[in-house]
Amino acid sequence: MEALKETRSKVSTSCRSSLIDFIAMISESHFNKADDNFRKGLIKLIENNCEMNKKESYPICASAIRCLGLFSAFNAIRNQTDLLYSFFKIANQLAVSAIKKFDKSNDLQWLLYQITWTMANISDNVYKCSNNGNLINDLFLFNTNQVCLEIMKLELNCIKAQNIKTNVVRCFNFLILIMLKRIDEKSPEELFKCKNMIIDTTLVLIEAVQSKSDKLHWNLCHVFSSLLTHPYYCMVVGVHLHDNQSLMTQIFDTLLCLLQESANHKVQAYAVDALCQTLEARSDLKVNYAQLFETLAQFFIKKYAFIPESHKSIWIENFSAILIYLINLTFNLNISETIWQSLKQFFQHIPFCESKYLNFKKFSQLRKIIEDK
């Protein structure tokens, strides 16, 4: 710690950065056991290294802001709302500085990656601790969301480019959820305050699907699944028109396209879950439900055998959930007998070694519905 207090002329950049990385390795249990004054001094020391006045300071700043992001998950920090807010403001200020100074150097983009990672972690912790959210004023949340929108516009070209965008997408999710939680606690009339924030962010999320990053894709799907469970979010995207379509319709089309084009099984699982959330949120979408059921059923049958064991459980349950939902929606519609027979044959020929999946809740429900048809 004494080395971190020394001037930069005495301690090299790599040494200071390594020391901070070492401090970041402290476990939560050891952090909690430390004397309160020691913890405060340690945090202050790390905060003092969160500056990017010169390019030489970027690696140090990257290590320091990452350390604060790790500390923000500790209960001792999360229960101190002023401290958590202080971390958030530091990350926000660094993000603004990074945007102003943006160039395509690896050091700056690495720093931006650590900044956005910390912003995502802190916004997550703020959302999980409802009392913490009240400390952060609306203007700060709006400004942070705007900073995130600006980051998404940057021409990132480093190896961490897609991870930076993934961090921002995670941050979008929690910022909007925090705002929506406040509306729940106050009045629906407050919705107009964050309407534009929701619209602008949703358009950016839809556009981000053009990326080729699987990690970004499944995070986008997860964010849509999360936001679409909130009625106020659905209210905004359900009525706002963009290119003569509601945002809800564009979300649906984007997710369906992503599902069909992605070869990644995790993306498929998260995309179909988000699709189901979209349908449950707005059953009045202009969708041919019988055709959608047949498309997803064929996809389910065709891809099942190729899903790796590590992803199979969530993949099966999410697909089963949407197929069950569509069966209920299309009960009186004309679904081809060929599809029903294909599904029956599929369940009849599941290998014995995979019979355990038949005990899964949604999968077993789907099987019973198909067999009783």
Side-chain angles (χ1 to χ4, degrees), residues 312-349:
K312 206 153 196 169
S313 58
I314 187 172
W315 193 93
I316 286 173
E317 285 294 88
N318 287 354
F319 264 93
S320 297
I322 197 169
L323 290 175
I324 291 170
Y325 185 79
L326 286 169
I327 288 172
N328 293 331
L329 277 181
T330 59
F331 187 75
N332 294 319
L333 298 180
N334 184 27
I335 296 177
S336 70
E337 186 62 28
T338 304
I339 292 295
W340 289 116
Q341 290 303 320
S342 296
L343 284 168
K344 285 184 178 180
Q345 290 177 15
F346 164 77
F347 279 106
Q348 289 171 358
H349 293 90

Side-chain angles (χ1 to χ4, degrees), residues 113 124 155 285 333:
Y113 165 66
D124 182 5
E155 294 183 13
L285 287 172
L333 298 180

Side-chain angles (χ1 to χ4, degrees), residues 212-373:
K212 295 182 179 180
S213 165
D214 289 331
K215 184 177 181 180
L216 179 56
H217 284 165
W218 75 62
N219 274 277
L220 283 164
C221 294
H222 175 72
V223 168
F224 279 127
S225 292
S226 174
L227 295 178
L228 287 165
T229 60
H230 204 291
Y232 290 143
Y233 178 80
C234 297
M235 190 183 301
V236 173
V237 299
V239 299
H240 180 78
L241 295 180
H242 181 75
D243 293 339
N244 297 319
Q245 281 186 318
S246 72
L247 277 182
M248 183 72 84
T249 299
Q250 290 190 36
I251 291 171
F252 177 86
D253 291 343
T254 298
L255 291 169
L256 182 59
C257 182
L258 183 58
L259 169 66
Q260 294 174 313
E261 293 184 0
S262 177
N264 185 279
H265 309 108
K266 191 172 179 179
V267 174
Q268 293 169 6
Y270 279 83
V272 81
D273 180 60
L275 273 174
C276 194
Q277 292 293 346
T278 311
L279 293 174
E280 290 180 356
R282 290 296 293 266
S283 59
D284 59 342
L285 287 172
K286 295 180 180 179
V287 176
N288 184 326
Y289 294 110
Q291 183 179 344
L292 178 62
F293 174 81
E294 293 183 13
T295 298
L296 293 179
Q298 290 171 343
F299 190 95
F300 178 72
I301 294 169
K302 182 180 178 180
K303 301 290 185 180
Y304 173 87
F306 302 100
I307 307 302
E309 189 72 20
S310 57
H311 294 151
K312 206 153 196 169
S313 58
I314 187 172
W315 193 93
I316 286 173
E317 285 294 88
N318 287 354
F319 264 93
S320 297
I322 197 169
L323 290 175
I324 291 170
Y325 185 79
L326 286 169
I327 288 172
N328 293 331
L329 277 181
T330 59
F331 187 75
N332 294 319
L333 298 180
N334 184 27
I335 296 177
S336 70
E337 186 62 28
T338 304
I339 292 295
W340 289 116
Q341 290 303 320
S342 296
L343 284 168
K344 285 184 178 180
Q345 290 177 15
F346 164 77
F347 279 106
Q348 289 171 358
H349 293 90
I350 289 180
F352 177 77
C353 62
E354 297 183 356
S355 59
K356 63 180 180 181
Y357 295 122
L358 295 175
N359 295 322
F360 287 10
K361 184 178 179 181
K362 294 294 182 181
F363 197 49
S364 61
Q365 287 178 8
L366 178 62
R367 179 192 185 191
K368 188 174 188 309
I369 292 171
I370 299 302
E371 289 178 345
D372 292 345
K373 175 66 178 175

